[in-house]
Amino acid sequence: MSTAVVIGGGVSGLSAAYYIQRFLPRFKKVIVLESSSHLGGWVNTTINPDGAIFEHGPRSLRPVGEQGRNTLMLADELGLADDILPVSRSSPAAQNRYLYVNGQLCALPNSLGGLLWKIPPFSKPLALMGALEPLKPRSRDSDESIHSFIKRRIGREVADYAVDAMCRGIFAGDCRKLSIEACMPPIHKLEKDYGSLLIGALFGPKESTENLTGLPKWAKEEKWATWSLRRGLQQLTDSLVDAVHNTPGGEVRTNSPALRISPVASDNQKVVVTTSTDSIETELVISSIYSKDLAPLLPGKFNQLKDSLSELESVNVVVVNLEYNGDVLPVKGFGHLLPSKEGGPMLGIVYDSCAFPEHNRKTAKGSTRLTVMMGGAWYKDLLTSTGDLPLSQDLLWMASQAASKHLGIAGRPVRSHVSLQKNCIPQYRIGHTRWVASLEQTLAQSGLPIVLTGASYKGPAINDCINNTRKSIEGLRDRFR
């Protein structure tokens, strides 16, 4: 009986097990090894007794593009259609996004008309800044930083304020170091193919959305901007766990780290994955864990591969969930972000109650839920003089002070939760795409039956992780008939 082993029980690992069961029937047994007691990776939802929901990781998903539609199809297959909570494009949570600059909230334009007026913190209308973009020459470099790319094509102010803040919100990273090719491949491709972002957006081929069915069709017709689930995003990963468990041969183990991966005799085409309780012989290992964590599992003779896997950096993020009595938000929107020159380790605040009021506590008075994010590439700025992370109560005080200063919210939160997400977001530095290609080539030359997936390689977002995993597993069909 053929067995496949999946290392890591996050969204990528669970998706891998699900898709192996669906697309590779040769494997009658699929074992997921998760080192912790929690399944779902950075997807982590707390449902409080009165119904209030805190998301300690990702909180919503976009429905657009190949990746977005794939996740919707997965949700459909898992029977989650009735629990979808969509946010329409006309909702304030979709239309309104803010920057916090110079001590004030600055609304970003949410219409074409808004591009024609000068709005803080910009010194002139954004349309005027972008007017000459089609005349800018292509870069001669294969890759560059996101900041350099945007500054070159549109202007320094857009790079310094809007894009800097956006990268802190998405990647918790420094746009002066992050790769435009790896982090924003569609934008990079527009310049490469058309010489201009504007011309490419206007005249480039449009992705076909014909023949959509199920949730993807529903999302298009109702113009969703984002979506979540009635019990939070962990409902998606919990449903994946159930699907794998309920399929014959599916096994999901917690508190069961892989300790090492060893070739069988001289045949690298089969390996033994050793755990604390057994040794599993397999001809397919899917590694969905952080690349640095995979490196020490490999034998010493694969030093080049181990060294390459160890090169990727990641960041720590402190997530503080806050809940206040009543509706205390002065504005409605998705939230606000702080550019690095303004915020230091304070990355931004998400207005959870505005996007998903269904997740508020089930009482007549209602509540306001916020999520404050700190650290990322500026994590060291949070640390004390002794190099330690402040106590939870001090981090809570910092988050509450930010809510008070930025949003004018008085008083203490009635409920809170402080969590540290260690190494949660890989940082795709300049040259990351070439690093991935070189890594895959080295792995292929090693002969080890290991397939790489997960946030370390081709996109850290949930949609990216699920879609890339599906394509990787589908690509193995001919090999494992």
Side-chain angles (χ1 to χ4, degrees):
M1 180 175 67
S2 295
T3 299
V5 175
V6 179
I7 301 177
V11 67
S12 297
L14 295 172
S15 298
Y18 174 83
Y19 288 125
I20 289 171
Q21 291 174 328
R22 182 176 175 189
F23 297 133
L24 303 179
R26 170 173 171 172
F27 294 100
K28 303 303 181 184
K29 190 167 186 177
V30 180
I31 301 174
V32 179
L33 302 176
E34 167 54 41
S35 62
S36 73
S37 60
H38 170 73
L39 294 166
W42 302 117
V43 179
N44 193 347
T45 305
T46 293
I47 303 178
N48 292 290
D50 56 9
I53 288 179
F54 284 170
E55 296 282 16
H56 311 303
R59 62 207 57 251
S60 63
L61 300 173
R62 298 183 71 239
V64 297
E66 173 192 317
Q67 299 92 328
R69 288 193 292 275
N70 180 71
T71 303
L72 284 172
M73 288 189 290
L74 175 63
D76 229 347
E77 293 167 9
L78 294 172
L80 296 173
D82 291 341
D83 286 330
I84 294 281
L85 298 179
V87 177
S88 75
R89 293 182 209 162
S90 60
S91 165
Q95 290 195 337
N96 302 334
R97 294 169 186 262
Y98 302 86
L99 299 177
Y100 186 80
V101 181
N102 298 325
Q104 64 176 340
L105 285 179
C106 303
L108 291 169
N110 58 15
S111 67
L112 288 175
L115 300 174
L116 302 176
W117 303 97
K118 186 179 78 171
I119 58 172
F122 306 107
S123 63
K124 53 187 176 182
L126 292 175
L128 187 59
M129 293 185 190
L132 299 179
E133 189 274 332
L135 304 179
K136 303 291 178 64
R138 288 182 176 93
S139 172
R140 295 181 179 180
D141 298 325
S142 61
D143 195 9
E144 63 184 306
S145 74
I146 296 173
H147 186 274
S148 170
F149 182 92
I150 298 299
K151 181 179 73 172
R152 179 171 56 78
R153 297 222 61 89
I154 302 176
R156 177 178 287 277
E157 285 191 358
V158 173
D160 283 351
Y161 291 111
V163 174
D164 179 289
M166 179 186 68
C167 288
R168 282 158 59 85
I170 297 174
F171 304 104
D174 185 347
C175 66
R176 292 159 185 81
K177 298 178 180 178
L178 295 174
S179 158
I180 185 71
E181 182 183 26
C183 295
M184 300 180 177
I187 294 177
H188 179 263
K189 193 172 188 302
L190 288 179
E191 184 190 52
K192 182 179 179 182
D193 292 349
Y194 299 96
S196 164
L197 308 186
L198 181 59
I199 292 174
L202 291 175
F203 302 108
K206 303 298 185 287
E207 190 176 24
S208 174
T209 56
E210 295 181 2
N211 304 318
L212 294 179
T213 59
L215 284 176
K217 181 180 180 181
W218 186 12
K220 182 176 183 294
E221 291 176 347
E222 297 191 355
K223 299 180 179 179
W224 296 1
T226 58
W227 61 277
S228 182
L229 291 160
R230 198 162 301 281
R231 297 195 297 277
L233 281 188
Q234 192 175 319
Q235 188 175 354
L236 175 65
T237 52
D238 286 348
S239 297
L240 276 169
V241 174
D242 291 341
V244 174
H245 263 310
N246 294 334
T247 300
E251 184 178 347
V252 182
R253 304 181 187 177
T254 56
N255 299 307
S256 183
L259 301 178
R260 60 183 174 274
I261 302 171
S262 310
V264 174
S266 59
D267 180 11
N268 288 346
Q269 294 299 315
K270 286 188 177 182
V271 295
V272 173
V273 179
T274 303
T275 73
S276 60
T277 57
D278 61 356
S279 296
I280 310 163
E281 184 173 312
T282 178
E283 54 188 321
L284 177 61
V285 174
I286 306 294
S287 175
S288 69
I289 58 177
Y290 177 29
S291 64
K292 271 190 176 179
D293 293 334
L294 173 62
L297 304 185
L298 302 178
K301 69 177 182 177
F302 298 104
N303 282 331
Q304 181 183 352
L305 180 58
K306 290 158 67 77
D307 290 345
S308 185
L309 286 164
S310 300
E311 291 175 5
L312 183 65
E313 297 181 15
S314 62
V315 295
N316 304 329
V317 177
V318 174
V319 177
V320 183
N321 303 100
L322 304 175
E323 184 180 11
Y324 297 86
N325 283 324
D327 183 359
V328 297
L329 281 172
V331 295
K332 301 300 180 185
F334 179 82
H336 68 263
L337 297 169
L338 290 81
S340 55
K341 62 173 59 179
E342 179 81 28
M346 187 65 61
L347 304 177
I349 301 179
V350 180
Y351 313 158
D352 298 303
S353 288
C354 191
F356 300 109
E358 301 90 343
H359 289 169
N360 290 343
R361 67 175 183 248
K362 307 301 186 284
T363 60
K365 294 181 179 180
S367 62
T368 298
R369 293 168 300 107
L370 308 173
T371 301
V372 181
M373 300 169 294
M374 298 182 282
W378 297 265
Y379 178 75
K380 289 183 179 179
D381 294 341
L382 283 175
L383 304 182
T384 65
S385 58
T386 58
D388 299 313
L389 185 67
L391 298 174
S392 292
Q393 62 197 43
D394 297 320
L395 293 169
L396 172 59
W397 180 85
M398 293 167 64
S400 302
Q401 286 297 108
S404 174
K405 180 180 178 182
H406 301 176
L407 298 168
I409 298 176
R412 300 175 62 181
V414 296
R415 181 159 44 199
S416 62
H417 186 280
V418 179
S419 53
L420 170 62
Q421 315 291 11
K422 296 189 69 175
N423 297 319
C424 62
I425 307 180
Q427 300 294 283
Y428 294 177
R429 300 295 176 86
I430 299 170
H432 179 84
T433 302
R434 292 192 298 278
W435 173 77
V436 172
S438 174
L439 185 62
E440 290 177 335
Q441 182 180 18
T442 303
L443 182 59
Q445 291 171 347
S446 76
L448 293 170
I450 299 175
V451 175
L452 304 177
T453 191
S456 292
Y457 309 105
K458 298 179 181 178
I462 290 177
N463 284 341
D464 293 323
C465 289
I466 295 174
N467 193 54
N468 289 330
T469 298
R470 178 188 59 79
K471 291 195 290 187
S472 292
I473 301 303
E474 283 187 316
L476 297 172
R477 280 172 157 171
D478 290 341
R479 178 177 163 189
F480 294 110
R481 286 187 180 279

Coordinates of all heavy atoms in Angstrom, one line a residue, residues 103-177:
G103 N -0.2 62.2 12.3 CA -1.2 62.3 13.4 C -2.6 62.4 13.0 O -3.5 62.7 13.8
Q104 N -2.9 62.0 11.8 CA -4.3 62.0 11.4 C -4.6 60.9 10.4 O -3.8 60.4 9.7 CB -4.7 63.4 10.7 CG -4.0 63.6 9.4 CD -4.4 64.9 8.8 OE1 -5.5 65.4 9.0 NE2 -3.6 65.5 7.9
L105 N -5.9 60.5 10.4 CA -6.4 59.5 9.4 C -6.5 60.1 8.1 O -7.2 61.2 8.0 CB -7.7 58.9 9.9 CG -7.7 57.8 11.0 CD1 -9.1 57.4 11.3 CD2 -6.8 56.6 10.7
C106 N -6.0 59.5 7.0 CA -6.1 60.1 5.7 C -6.8 59.0 4.8 O -6.3 57.9 4.7 CB -4.7 60.4 5.1 SG -3.7 61.5 6.1
A107 N -8.0 59.4 4.3 CA -8.7 58.4 3.4 C -8.1 58.3 2.1 O -7.8 59.3 1.4 CB -10.2 58.9 3.3
L108 N -7.9 57.1 1.6 CA -7.4 56.8 0.3 C -8.5 56.9 -0.7 O -9.7 56.6 -0.4 CB -6.7 55.4 0.2 CG -5.4 55.3 1.0 CD1 -5.0 53.8 1.0 CD2 -4.3 56.1 0.3
P109 N -8.3 57.4 -1.9 CA -9.3 57.5 -2.9 C -10.0 56.1 -3.1 O -9.4 55.1 -3.2 CB -8.6 57.9 -4.2 CG -7.3 58.5 -3.7 CD -6.9 57.8 -2.5
N110 N -11.4 56.2 -3.3 CA -12.1 55.0 -3.5 C -13.0 55.1 -4.8 O -13.9 54.3 -5.0 CB -13.0 54.6 -2.3 CG -14.0 55.8 -2.0 OD1 -14.2 56.7 -2.8 ND2 -14.6 55.7 -0.8
S111 N -12.6 56.1 -5.6 CA -13.3 56.2 -6.9 C -12.3 56.9 -7.9 O -11.3 57.5 -7.5 CB -14.6 57.0 -6.8 OG -14.2 58.4 -6.4
L112 N -12.6 56.9 -9.2 CA -11.8 57.6 -10.2 C -11.8 59.1 -9.9 O -10.8 59.7 -10.1 CB -12.4 57.3 -11.6 CG -12.1 55.9 -12.1 CD1 -12.8 55.7 -13.5 CD2 -10.7 55.6 -12.2
G113 N -12.9 59.6 -9.4 CA -13.0 61.0 -9.1 C -12.0 61.4 -8.0 O -11.4 62.5 -8.1
G114 N -11.8 60.5 -7.1 CA -10.9 60.8 -6.0 C -9.5 61.0 -6.4 O -8.7 61.6 -5.7
L115 N -9.1 60.4 -7.6 CA -7.8 60.5 -8.1 C -7.4 61.9 -8.6 O -6.3 62.2 -8.8 CB -7.5 59.5 -9.1 CG -7.7 58.0 -8.7 CD1 -7.5 57.1 -10.0 CD2 -6.6 57.6 -7.7
L116 N -8.5 62.7 -8.8 CA -8.3 64.0 -9.5 C -8.1 65.1 -8.5 O -7.8 66.3 -8.9 CB -9.5 64.3 -10.3 CG -9.9 63.3 -11.4 CD1 -11.2 63.7 -12.1 CD2 -8.7 63.2 -12.4
W117 N -8.2 64.8 -7.2 CA -8.1 65.9 -6.2 C -6.9 65.6 -5.3 O -6.5 64.5 -5.1 CB -9.4 65.9 -5.3 CG -10.6 66.2 -6.1 CD1 -11.5 65.2 -6.5 CD2 -11.1 67.4 -6.6 NE1 -12.5 65.8 -7.2 CE2 -12.3 67.2 -7.3 CE3 -10.7 68.7 -6.4 CZ2 -13.1 68.1 -7.9 CZ3 -11.4 69.7 -7.0 CH2 -12.6 69.4 -7.7
K118 N -6.3 66.7 -4.8 CA -5.2 66.5 -3.9 C -5.7 66.2 -2.5 O -6.6 66.9 -2.0 CB -4.4 67.8 -3.8 CG -3.1 67.7 -3.0 CD -2.3 69.0 -2.9 CE -3.0 70.0 -1.9 NZ -2.1 71.1 -1.7
I119 N -5.2 65.1 -2.0 CA -5.7 64.6 -0.7 C -4.4 64.3 0.2 O -3.4 63.9 -0.4 CB -6.5 63.3 -0.8 CG1 -5.8 62.2 -1.5 CG2 -7.9 63.6 -1.5 CD1 -6.5 60.9 -1.5
P120 N -4.5 64.6 1.5 CA -3.3 64.2 2.3 C -3.2 62.7 2.3 O -4.1 62.0 2.3 CB -3.7 64.8 3.7 CG -5.2 64.9 3.7 CD -5.6 65.2 2.2
P121 N -1.9 62.3 2.4 CA -0.7 63.0 2.7 C 0.0 63.4 1.4 O 1.2 63.8 1.4 CB 0.2 62.0 3.4 CG -0.2 60.7 2.8 CD -1.7 60.8 2.5
F122 N -0.6 63.3 0.2 CA 0.0 63.6 -1.1 C 0.0 65.1 -1.4 O -1.0 65.8 -1.1 CB -0.6 62.7 -2.1 CG -0.7 61.3 -1.8 CD1 -1.9 60.7 -1.4 CD2 0.4 60.5 -1.8 CE1 -2.0 59.4 -1.1 CE2 0.4 59.2 -1.5 CZ -0.8 58.6 -1.1
S123 N 1.1 65.5 -2.1 CA 1.2 66.9 -2.4 C 0.5 67.3 -3.7 O 0.3 68.5 -4.0 CB 2.7 67.3 -2.5 OG 3.3 66.6 -3.6
K124 N 0.0 66.3 -4.5 CA -0.7 66.6 -5.7 C -1.6 65.5 -6.0 O -1.5 64.4 -5.4 CB 0.2 66.9 -6.9 CG 1.3 65.9 -7.1 CD 2.2 66.4 -8.2 CE 3.4 65.4 -8.4 NZ 4.4 65.9 -9.4
P125 N -2.6 65.6 -6.9 CA -3.5 64.5 -7.2 C -2.8 63.3 -7.7 O -1.8 63.4 -8.4 CB -4.4 65.1 -8.3 CG -4.4 66.6 -8.1 CD -3.0 66.9 -7.6
L126 N -3.3 62.1 -7.3 CA -2.6 60.9 -7.7 C -2.7 60.7 -9.2 O -1.8 60.1 -9.8 CB -3.3 59.7 -7.0 CG -3.1 59.7 -5.5 CD1 -3.8 58.5 -4.8 CD2 -1.6 59.5 -5.1
A127 N -3.8 61.2 -9.8 CA -3.9 61.0 -11.3 C -2.8 61.8 -12.0 O -2.2 61.4 -13.0 CB -5.2 61.6 -11.8
L128 N -2.4 63.0 -11.4 CA -1.3 63.7 -12.0 C 0.0 63.0 -11.8 O 0.9 63.0 -12.7 CB -1.3 65.1 -11.3 CG -0.3 66.1 -11.9 CD1 -0.6 66.4 -13.4 CD2 -0.4 67.5 -11.1
M129 N 0.2 62.4 -10.7 CA 1.4 61.6 -10.4 C 1.6 60.5 -11.4 O 2.7 60.2 -11.8 CB 1.4 61.1 -9.0 CG 1.5 62.1 -7.9 SD 1.6 61.2 -6.3 CE 1.4 62.6 -5.2
G130 N 0.5 59.9 -11.8 CA 0.6 58.7 -12.7 C 0.4 59.1 -14.2 O 0.5 58.2 -15.0
A131 N 0.2 60.3 -14.5 CA 0.0 60.7 -15.9 C 1.1 60.4 -16.8 O 0.9 60.0 -18.0 CB -0.3 62.2 -15.9
L132 N 2.3 60.5 -16.3 CA 3.5 60.2 -17.2 C 4.0 58.8 -17.1 O 5.0 58.4 -17.7 CB 4.6 61.2 -16.8 CG 4.4 62.7 -17.0 CD1 5.6 63.5 -16.6 CD2 4.0 63.0 -18.4
E133 N 3.3 57.9 -16.3 CA 3.7 56.6 -16.2 C 3.9 55.8 -17.5 O 4.9 55.1 -17.6 CB 2.7 55.8 -15.3 CG 3.2 54.4 -14.8 CD 2.9 53.3 -15.8 OE1 1.9 53.5 -16.6 OE2 3.6 52.3 -15.9
P134 N 3.0 55.9 -18.5 CA 3.2 55.2 -19.7 C 4.5 55.6 -20.5 O 5.0 54.9 -21.4 CB 2.0 55.6 -20.6 CG 0.9 55.9 -19.6 CD 1.7 56.6 -18.5
L135 N 5.1 56.8 -20.2 CA 6.3 57.2 -20.9 C 7.6 56.7 -20.2 O 8.6 56.9 -20.8 CB 6.3 58.7 -20.9 CG 5.0 59.4 -21.6 CD1 5.2 60.9 -21.6 CD2 4.9 58.9 -23.0
K136 N 7.4 56.2 -19.0 CA 8.6 55.7 -18.3 C 9.2 54.5 -19.0 O 8.5 53.6 -19.3 CB 8.3 55.4 -16.8 CG 7.7 56.6 -16.1 CD 8.7 57.7 -15.9 CE 8.0 58.9 -15.2 NZ 7.6 58.6 -13.8
P137 N 10.5 54.4 -19.1 CA 11.1 53.2 -19.7 C 11.1 52.0 -18.8 O 11.0 52.1 -17.6 CB 12.6 53.6 -20.0 CG 12.8 54.6 -18.9 CD 11.5 55.4 -18.7
R138 N 11.1 50.8 -19.5 CA 11.2 49.6 -18.7 C 12.5 49.5 -18.0 O 13.5 50.1 -18.4 CB 11.2 48.4 -19.7 CG 9.8 48.0 -20.3 CD 10.0 46.8 -21.1 NE 8.8 46.3 -21.7 CZ 8.3 46.7 -22.9 NH1 9.1 47.5 -23.7 NH2 7.2 46.2 -23.4
S139 N 12.5 48.8 -16.9 CA 13.8 48.6 -16.2 C 14.6 47.5 -16.9 O 14.1 46.6 -17.5 CB 13.5 48.0 -14.7 OG 14.7 47.6 -14.1
R140 N 15.9 47.7 -16.8 CA 16.8 46.7 -17.4 C 17.1 45.5 -16.5 O 17.7 44.5 -16.9 CB 18.1 47.4 -17.8 CG 18.0 48.4 -18.9 CD 19.3 49.0 -19.3 NE 19.2 50.0 -20.3 CZ 20.2 50.7 -20.8 NH1 21.4 50.5 -20.3 NH2 20.0 51.6 -21.8
D141 N 16.7 45.7 -15.2 CA 17.0 44.7 -14.2 C 15.8 43.7 -14.2 O 14.7 44.0 -14.4 CB 17.1 45.3 -12.8 CG 18.3 46.2 -12.7 OD1 19.3 46.0 -13.4 OD2 18.2 47.3 -12.0
S142 N 16.2 42.4 -14.0 CA 15.1 41.4 -13.9 C 14.3 41.5 -12.7 O 13.1 41.0 -12.6 CB 15.8 40.0 -14.0 OG 16.6 39.8 -12.8
D143 N 14.8 42.1 -11.6 CA 14.1 42.3 -10.4 C 14.6 43.5 -9.7 O 15.7 44.0 -9.9 CB 14.2 41.0 -9.5 CG 13.2 41.0 -8.4 OD1 12.3 41.8 -8.4 OD2 13.4 40.1 -7.5
E144 N 13.7 44.1 -8.8 CA 14.1 45.2 -8.0 C 13.1 45.3 -6.8 O 12.2 44.5 -6.7 CB 14.0 46.5 -8.8 CG 12.6 46.9 -9.3 CD 12.6 48.1 -10.2 OE1 13.1 49.2 -9.8 OE2 12.1 48.0 -11.4
S145 N 13.4 46.2 -5.9 CA 12.5 46.3 -4.8 C 11.2 46.9 -5.2 O 11.0 47.6 -6.2 CB 13.1 47.2 -3.7 OG 13.1 48.6 -4.0
I146 N 10.1 46.6 -4.4 CA 8.8 47.2 -4.6 C 8.9 48.7 -4.6 O 8.3 49.4 -5.4 CB 7.8 46.7 -3.6 CG1 7.6 45.2 -3.8 CG2 6.4 47.4 -3.8 CD1 6.7 44.5 -2.7
H147 N 9.6 49.3 -3.6 CA 9.7 50.7 -3.5 C 10.4 51.3 -4.7 O 9.9 52.3 -5.3 CB 10.5 51.1 -2.2 CG 10.6 52.5 -1.9 ND1 11.5 53.4 -2.5 CD2 9.8 53.3 -1.1 CE1 11.3 54.6 -2.0 NE2 10.3 54.6 -1.2
S148 N 11.5 50.7 -5.2 CA 12.2 51.2 -6.3 C 11.3 51.2 -7.6 O 11.2 52.2 -8.3 CB 13.4 50.4 -6.6 OG 14.0 50.7 -7.8
F149 N 10.5 50.1 -7.7 CA 9.7 50.0 -8.9 C 8.6 51.1 -8.9 O 8.4 51.7 -9.9 CB 9.0 48.6 -8.9 CG 8.1 48.3 -10.0 CD1 8.6 47.6 -11.2 CD2 6.8 48.6 -10.0 CE1 7.8 47.3 -12.2 CE2 5.9 48.3 -11.0 CZ 6.4 47.7 -12.2
I150 N 7.9 51.2 -7.8 CA 6.8 52.2 -7.7 C 7.3 53.6 -7.8 O 6.7 54.5 -8.5 CB 6.0 52.0 -6.5 CG1 5.3 50.6 -6.4 CG2 4.9 53.1 -6.3 CD1 4.4 50.3 -7.6
K151 N 8.4 53.9 -7.2 CA 9.0 55.2 -7.2 C 9.4 55.6 -8.7 O 9.2 56.7 -9.2 CB 10.2 55.3 -6.3 CG 10.9 56.7 -6.3 CD 12.1 56.7 -5.4 CE 13.3 56.0 -6.0 NZ 14.5 56.2 -5.2
R152 N 9.9 54.6 -9.4 CA 10.4 54.8 -10.7 C 9.2 55.0 -11.7 O 9.3 55.9 -12.6 CB 11.2 53.6 -11.2 CG 11.8 53.6 -12.6 CD 12.7 52.5 -12.8 NE 12.2 51.2 -12.5 CZ 11.4 50.5 -13.3 NH1 11.0 51.1 -14.5 NH2 10.9 49.3 -13.0
R153 N 8.2 54.3 -11.5 CA 7.0 54.3 -12.4 C 6.0 55.4 -12.1 O 5.4 56.0 -13.0 CB 6.4 53.0 -12.5 CG 7.3 51.9 -13.1 CD 6.5 51.0 -14.1 NE 6.0 51.8 -15.2 CZ 6.7 52.0 -16.4 NH1 8.0 51.5 -16.5 NH2 6.2 52.7 -17.3
I154 N 5.8 55.6 -10.8 CA 4.7 56.6 -10.4 C 5.2 57.7 -9.6 O 4.8 58.9 -9.9 CB 3.6 55.8 -9.6 CG1 3.1 54.6 -10.4 CG2 2.5 56.7 -9.2 CD1 2.1 53.8 -9.7
G155 N 6.1 57.5 -8.7 CA 6.6 58.6 -7.9 C 6.9 58.3 -6.5 O 6.4 57.3 -5.9
R156 N 7.8 59.1 -5.9 CA 8.3 58.8 -4.5 C 7.2 58.8 -3.5 O 7.1 58.0 -2.6 CB 9.4 59.8 -4.1 CG 9.9 59.6 -2.7 CD 11.0 60.5 -2.4 NE 12.2 60.1 -3.0 CZ 13.1 59.2 -2.6 NH1 12.8 58.5 -1.5 NH2 14.2 58.9 -3.3
E157 N 6.2 59.8 -3.6 CA 5.2 59.9 -2.5 C 4.3 58.7 -2.5 O 4.0 58.2 -1.4 CB 4.4 61.1 -2.8 CG 5.1 62.4 -2.4 CD 4.1 63.6 -2.4 OE1 2.9 63.4 -2.7 OE2 4.6 64.7 -2.0
V158 N 4.0 58.1 -3.6 CA 3.1 56.9 -3.6 C 3.9 55.8 -3.0 O 3.4 55.0 -2.3 CB 2.7 56.6 -5.1 CG1 2.0 55.2 -5.1 CG2 1.8 57.7 -5.6
A159 N 5.2 55.7 -3.4 CA 6.1 54.6 -2.8 C 6.2 54.8 -1.3 O 6.2 53.8 -0.5 CB 7.4 54.6 -3.5
D160 N 6.5 56.0 -0.9 CA 6.8 56.3 0.5 C 5.6 56.1 1.5 O 5.8 55.7 2.6 CB 7.4 57.7 0.7 CG 8.8 57.8 0.3 OD1 9.4 56.8 0.0 OD2 9.3 59.0 0.2
Y161 N 4.4 56.5 1.0 CA 3.2 56.4 1.8 C 2.3 55.2 1.5 O 2.2 54.3 2.4 CB 2.4 57.7 1.7 CG 3.1 58.9 2.2 CD1 3.6 59.9 1.4 CD2 3.3 59.1 3.6 CE1 4.3 61.1 1.9 CE2 4.0 60.2 4.1 CZ 4.5 61.2 3.3 OH 5.1 62.3 3.8
A162 N 1.7 55.2 0.4 CA 0.7 54.2 0.1 C 1.3 52.8 0.0 O 0.9 51.8 0.6 CB 0.0 54.5 -1.2
V163 N 2.4 52.6 -0.8 CA 2.9 51.3 -1.1 C 3.7 50.8 0.1 O 3.7 49.6 0.5 CB 3.8 51.3 -2.3 CG1 4.5 49.9 -2.5 CG2 2.9 51.6 -3.6
D164 N 4.5 51.7 0.8 CA 5.2 51.3 2.0 C 4.2 50.8 3.0 O 4.4 49.7 3.6 CB 5.9 52.6 2.5 CG 6.7 52.3 3.8 OD1 6.0 52.1 4.9 OD2 7.9 52.3 3.8
A165 N 3.1 51.5 3.3 CA 2.1 51.1 4.2 C 1.4 49.7 3.8 O 1.2 48.9 4.7 CB 1.1 52.1 4.4
M166 N 1.1 49.6 2.5 CA 0.5 48.4 2.0 C 1.4 47.2 2.3 O 0.9 46.1 2.7 CB 0.2 48.5 0.6 CG -0.5 47.3 -0.1 SD -0.7 47.5 -1.8 CE 1.0 47.4 -2.4
C167 N 2.7 47.3 2.0 CA 3.6 46.2 2.2 C 3.7 45.8 3.7 O 3.9 44.7 4.0 CB 5.0 46.5 1.6 SG 5.0 46.5 -0.2
R168 N 3.6 46.8 4.6 CA 3.6 46.5 6.0 C 2.3 45.8 6.4 O 2.4 44.9 7.3 CB 3.7 47.8 6.8 CG 5.1 48.4 6.8 CD 5.2 49.9 7.1 NE 4.6 50.3 8.4 CZ 5.2 50.3 9.5 NH1 6.5 49.9 9.6 NH2 4.7 50.7 10.6
G169 N 1.2 46.1 5.8 CA 0.0 45.4 6.1 C -0.1 44.0 5.5 O -0.6 43.1 6.2
I170 N 0.4 43.8 4.3 CA 0.3 42.5 3.7 C 1.5 41.6 4.1 O 1.2 40.4 4.4 CB 0.3 42.6 2.1 CG1 -0.9 43.4 1.7 CG2 0.4 41.3 1.4 CD1 -0.9 43.8 0.2
F171 N 2.7 42.1 4.0 CA 3.9 41.2 4.3 C 4.5 41.5 5.6 O 5.5 40.8 5.9 CB 4.9 41.4 3.1 CG 4.4 41.2 1.8 CD1 4.0 42.2 0.9 CD2 4.2 39.9 1.3 CE1 3.6 42.0 -0.4 CE2 3.7 39.7 0.0 CZ 3.4 40.7 -0.8
A172 N 4.1 42.5 6.3 CA 4.8 43.0 7.6 C 6.2 43.3 7.2 O 7.1 43.0 8.1 CB 4.6 42.0 8.7
G173 N 6.5 43.7 6.0 CA 7.8 43.9 5.5 C 8.2 45.2 5.0 O 7.3 46.1 4.8
D174 N 9.5 45.4 4.7 CA 10.0 46.7 4.2 C 10.0 46.7 2.7 O 10.7 45.9 2.1 CB 11.4 46.8 4.8 CG 12.0 48.2 4.4 OD1 11.5 48.9 3.6 OD2 13.1 48.5 5.0
C175 N 9.2 47.5 2.1 CA 9.1 47.5 0.6 C 10.4 47.9 -0.1 O 10.6 47.7 -1.3 CB 8.0 48.5 0.2 SG 8.3 50.3 0.5
R176 N 11.4 48.4 0.7 CA 12.7 48.7 0.1 C 13.6 47.5 0.0 O 14.6 47.5 -0.6 CB 13.4 49.8 1.0 CG 12.7 51.1 0.9 CD 13.1 52.0 2.1 NE 12.3 53.3 2.1 CZ 11.1 53.4 2.5 NH1 10.4 52.3 3.0 NH2 10.4 54.5 2.4
K177 N 13.1 46.4 0.5 CA 13.9 45.1 0.5 C 13.1 44.0 -0.2 O 13.6 43.0 -0.7 CB 14.2 44.6 1.9 CG 15.2 45.6 2.6 CD 15.5 45.1 4.0 CE 16.4 46.1 4.7 NZ 16.6 45.6 6.1

